[in-house]
Amino acid sequence: MVPGKELKKGITELKNTLNKLNIEKEEWFTEKESLKKEVSNLISQIKKIKFSKDTDNKEMQKLKSERDKYNNKVKELILKFKKLNSQKQKIMKDKKITFNPTEISKQIETIDYSIQTEALSFEKEKKFMIQIRHLKKQMAEAGEVQGLFKELKEVSDEIKKAKDKAEECHQKLQKEIKN
């Protein structure tokens, strides 16, 4: 009987060991499932971050593209301005014009306003009219240049607007980079 008792004892020990191993196996399985959930959550977070980063990169690319577009427009307008300015200089030199037609135009308006709003003597009004005729004659001589002055002002305004837009895009880009 001794061998039977030993056999039962051996079986009991094996059952106890099997139970311990089974409990340990269940603990490891639970641990594995917990880690699996954690990995899944981390992957989900990474995907969200990647999507957010991709969206930010697209926005930054869009802002850079827009900024570059306006900077290129500024360069083109500056070239146009230089070309117009050299044409103006050439015409002024060729026709020996030493005045700014815009200033002449302002003088005419000022004198005309004075004539209309002030009670002037006949002699003073006659003097003003002669001065206006003289200024208008100068304006007629500077006809081509006057158009160039106007065009230069328009191009200058366009340059300022394009520079402002480029700066606005640059500021937005800097703000995106900081975030």
Side-chain angles (χ1 to χ4, degrees), residues 101-154:
T102 308
E103 294 299 319
I104 300 288
S105 180
K106 286 180 185 176
Q107 284 179 345
I108 291 172
E109 286 177 25
T110 304
I111 293 170
D112 194 36
Y113 181 77
S114 293
I115 291 171
Q116 291 178 12
T117 58
E118 295 175 16
L120 302 172
S121 68
F122 179 73
E123 288 299 317
K124 193 160 190 164
E125 189 173 332
K126 188 176 176 183
K127 191 176 177 184
F128 277 155
M129 294 306 283
I130 291 170
Q131 192 176 4
I132 287 176
R133 260 188 254 121
H134 176 69
L135 291 172
K136 284 185 177 180
K137 184 179 175 189
Q138 284 182 325
M139 289 283 289
E141 290 173 4
E144 284 181 66
V145 177
Q146 190 174 5
L148 287 173
F149 270 99
K150 184 178 178 186
E151 200 171 343
L152 283 167
K153 170 112 175 70
E154 289 170 0

Side-chain angles (χ1 to χ4, degrees), residues 33-46:
E33 289 300 312
S34 171
L35 290 173
K36 189 175 171 183
K37 284 181 183 177
E38 190 176 332
V39 167
S40 178
N41 286 338
L42 290 172
I43 289 172
S44 176
Q45 287 176 353
I46 288 171

